[in-house]
Amino acid sequence: MPGQFLYNYDTEFMGRVSQFAKWDPRFVFYSNRTELLNALKAGKIQIALGVDKEWGNEDQLIYSDGPYFVGTSQIVVPDTEKRLDASDFRLVERMRIGVSGNEGYIRFIKAWGKRNNLNLHLVSFPDDRTLRIAMADHKVDAAIFDKLPRTGYRRIVAGLPKMLFAVFPSDGQQLARHFNYAMWMTAAHYPLLQLQLYGKYNQEENHALSLTQSEKAYLMAHRDKPFIVAVVHGDYPFYYRDYGVDSGIIPEFYREIEMSLREQVPGISFTYKEYSSNGTAVDAVRKGEADILGMTSMDVLHASAEDIHLSTPFMVENLAMLSQEEPVGEKDFQYDRKVPVIAVTEEDLNAVYAYAGRKYKIKTYPNYEEAYQALINREADYVVATMAQATWLMNQHRNGRFIIHIIPSTQNISLCGGVSEKNWILADILSETADSTGTNLLSIVQKNIAPQSDFATFLQRMSPESMLIIAALLMTGVCGGAFLIIRNIRGQEVQKRNEMLISSQRRVIYAYEYDGLTGLLNRDTAMSRFEKILLDSPAYSVVIIDLDNFRIINESYGHETGDVVLKVISGRIRNICQQDAMNRFVARYSGDEFLLVVNNRKLTAADALIREVVASCNQPIPLKELMEAENTLPGDKVESLVTYLGVGIAVSDGKSSFRRLVQNAVVAINTAKKAGSNSVCVYEEAMQEDVHRNNRIRDFLLDAMKNDGFYMVYQPQVDIQKGTVSGTEALVRLKKEQISPGLFIPVAEKEGFIRRIGRITTRLVIEQIVRWREAGEPLYPVSINYSSSQLGDAGYVDYLLGLMKKNHIPSSLIKLEFTESMFFNNNHVTKQLLKKLQDAGISLSLDDFGTGYSSLKYLTYIPVDYLKLDKSIIDSYLTEEAHEKEYFIRDIISLAHDLGKKIVVEGVETAWQAKRLKSFGCDIIQGYYYSRPISPEELATFTVRTED
């Protein structure tokens, strides 16, 4: 599709296939598979991707020989569902199982059940969200998902194979053969491509480890004793011992799992115990001698028969055949067997038998080391193994030359961890951990199957004649070049050293004087140089240019986008300065601020130069075009971006120094930013009063933090429908100074005090709840305000929960109120914070709704329980003079209820407003109509006034 970037499995895999097919593919997208196949039959497209064989229409379609996508699905039940016994695989026949997707996918699930003699009762839903709602309403007992939802569910069956094929019309035999050849060539040249792409696009859905309480309790009970992982001796590359140390994919993989689990439950560890074969390892797990079957390719039915419960697949692997080349000197060597022999392990027998059928004789061996020796000794013609195992054997053993073939069929196996059925919760823990962002099995596989020494392998396999020829050539080259090298080496070294020294000095000087991103002078260099230039100037102006809301650009689109914006803006300002380079100078003053100096002029707010700077910087930035040139895309592929400024000006008065004028311009910019976007402000002496006031407030705050200078007042929140107190909001005040929170809170946030004050107010609230409880007073939920500036306090949630635990305060008595800026980017830190609070059962409220971005986008994913409508909205839309606007308030309340959230309205001051809000279905009211913020003693005796 022109102008769009296609980053997905289909297009990337087809790009590789097209290299061998010599095609230039064009992609067309359809909303469902029915439309896709209709387009194929109608001749609008030549190849359809993403179709499973159970779709039907085999008489009208041709399927590719092998799948181009291999994945897995799983059956899950709610965590709260205790009556379902995970040890009985046949329990799925007694369930109503929900499944979302198209008709073909449902046919695939039914066909899977039929192959395994399971009579499945499937209920279809249009999407996963509807399916989850149906599970919550007990309309279905279980559901099938490609990925386990983050919380609230547990697996009962994992590893349903999911394979998608390329499909051609019935008259496209030649095209299908061409495609199958290209697929085979792709597999031969990129043997791990499917695994790499599956891991790449699957990782986008990975999430941080989040264990349930029962899973944490299970780990706590086992943290003093290592989990024993049963491994098979000679099961290369999954397990082997290197210099007496456990090595291979399994130990490395479980080390990553161990690190992830230790973050939640310290002390968890794994140890490894060898067994001679997979059968003995399975027996050990079943009998309790070992806890985990390290990595197994058993399917769910085989595992159920062995009383083994599988985790979700750690990886999905192709099967490959490994054979020897004809040995040198034995060109006439011929196998005397009419039916070739395949060597396999016991574990993979079923998967290989399905492929080999009657064409081969199959011999089983306890492990891959013995299977490999059978191949070397001519007891077998092939070893069939996973792609990783075959590659490892080919790379690590140097006593033969090998050929490796990927089996062009649907025989792919899922590698899982296994535990005994009675220990099924451990399988869920392994699944959760493997799905988290902490594990990357693909990199572990690639590292372990790589040859130990490529050069040593090359020499080992080279013929003696070739080695003599190469050795002679090397000696000749060394002797011939030695003389020239020795003669010129000293002169070259001296010249190179001098050039490197000069280049290094230049780089150091540039890095010291210039900003690496914009190429402008940095602040220290600019202050020194500009001060000298302006020393004897009779008149000049200092300008500070600040980008509005640059922090939001970084948070919304990423720092790479922010860097591009800074480069563009700095370039535009520099171009304006170059129009009069003798009198205009520019430098980068700080992160999003630029310093502009204009000599021989006293600027005003309406000066043409200032208007030119603002107009130039307000021009849209072609973000997509610029970032494509840098091979980078912004987070949401935004086409362009418009920036706005704040401008502060200080004009020389013949008395103040250059550095003093820069400080004055900073004061002016702060005033300009308060006035709104693109505001320009010229410094006046009166502005210093705000600076001095803020300095005094800062000193008051420092004193209050040291000397217990804060106290709390509480404003009641009334359930308007019931006429009762539903809770209170805790508000902080200064004891010694009568300063409004509207003045000292911004100063606290700017000075970095808000984190400490946040903890102080939290402690005061908890202590007050304890006093109310001891006095036998009624207890109401208390809302504590949480500033976005507190996000840097990583330990705040643990501090709050610790106070609650120490004082036996239930989570039902605590609410946290956030402002909308917390959710602007839905970033990882905010998600983690809210997740911990939700897990602790603490209610969340979105404060000042209606004053910020107020986008429905945020309301769809922020997990708050309450929306708090700001007083400014009530003042504007709920007045007796303009009652025709009141339906806007009613619609907001209705929207909140539709989203499953309660609405809190603050700033209610009249009986008329309270009455109208009650008729609109408002939940909770807060305001002077019922009470101002009052002391804890007054709150204990507070009663709700009756309506007039």
Side-chain angles (χ1 to χ4, degrees), residues 318-519:
N318 295 104
L319 283 178
M321 296 181 68
L322 184 68
S323 62
Q324 275 190 288
E325 286 186 343
E326 293 178 352
V328 176
E330 298 183 36
K331 295 294 184 181
D332 296 329
F333 178 87
Q334 297 247 343
Y335 293 110
D336 59 1
R337 293 183 285 268
K338 294 182 179 180
V339 179
V341 175
I342 287 179
V344 301
T345 62
E346 299 167 352
E347 185 179 14
D348 294 337
L349 177 60
N350 290 337
V352 175
Y353 186 81
Y355 161 70
R358 303 169 185 170
K359 297 185 295 182
Y360 302 92
K361 180 180 179 181
I362 300 176
K363 294 182 68 174
T364 60
Y365 295 86
N367 54 63
Y368 277 102
E369 179 63 18
E370 295 189 26
Y372 167 77
Q373 292 301 328
L375 178 66
I376 295 299
N377 297 331
R378 304 293 179 176
E379 297 171 6
D381 305 309
Y382 304 97
V383 171
V384 175
T386 66
M387 191 66 212
Q389 287 164 321
T391 305
W392 194 93
L393 288 169
M394 182 179 67
N395 283 338
Q396 307 306 321
H397 290 283
R398 304 195 185 101
N399 53 348
R401 288 179 290 179
F402 303 95
I403 299 174
I404 189 169
H405 300 280
I406 295 178
I407 296 177
S409 72
T410 62
Q411 296 306 312
N412 296 269
I413 61 176
S414 299
L415 299 177
C416 311
V419 302
S420 64
E421 287 287 8
K422 63 182 179 182
N423 209 18
W424 61 268
I425 192 171
L426 180 56
D428 279 3
I429 293 172
L430 294 178
S431 301
E432 276 292 328
T433 316
D435 287 345
S436 72
T437 55
T439 57
N440 186 353
L441 188 55
L442 177 60
S443 63
I444 295 174
V445 172
Q446 290 175 324
K447 180 174 68 174
N448 278 276
I449 67 176
Q452 293 177 344
S453 173
D454 289 341
F455 184 64
T457 304
F458 173 73
L459 293 179
Q460 185 75 26
R461 297 177 179 177
M462 187 180 295
S463 65
E465 296 84 355
S466 300
M467 291 185 68
L468 287 174
I469 293 172
I470 291 177
L473 291 174
L474 286 174
M475 289 297 295
T476 303
V478 169
C479 293
F483 177 75
L484 294 175
I485 293 174
I486 294 172
R487 188 180 69 174
N488 295 320
I489 191 168
R490 289 193 177 183
Q492 291 175 350
E493 286 183 351
V494 172
Q495 181 181 358
K496 185 177 180 180
R497 189 162 54 246
N498 290 338
E499 291 175 353
M500 289 178 62
L501 180 61
I502 294 171
S503 177
S504 176
Q505 290 174 341
R506 288 175 178 171
R507 288 196 301 269
V508 170
I509 293 172
Y510 184 87
Y512 178 77
E513 294 183 342
Y514 288 85
D515 173 56
L517 178 65
T518 62

Side-chain angles (χ1 to χ4, degrees), residues 30 33-49 51 57 60-63 166-172 175:
Y30 295 90
R33 285 188 175 89
T34 300
E35 292 184 9
L36 176 69
L37 290 178
N38 288 338
L40 181 70
K41 295 172 184 176
K44 297 179 181 179
I45 56 176
Q46 287 75 48
I47 304 175
L49 299 177
V51 181
N57 299 307
Q60 304 176 41
L61 304 173
I62 300 174
Y63 289 85
V167 182
F168 314 88
S170 56
D171 59 352
L175 180 64

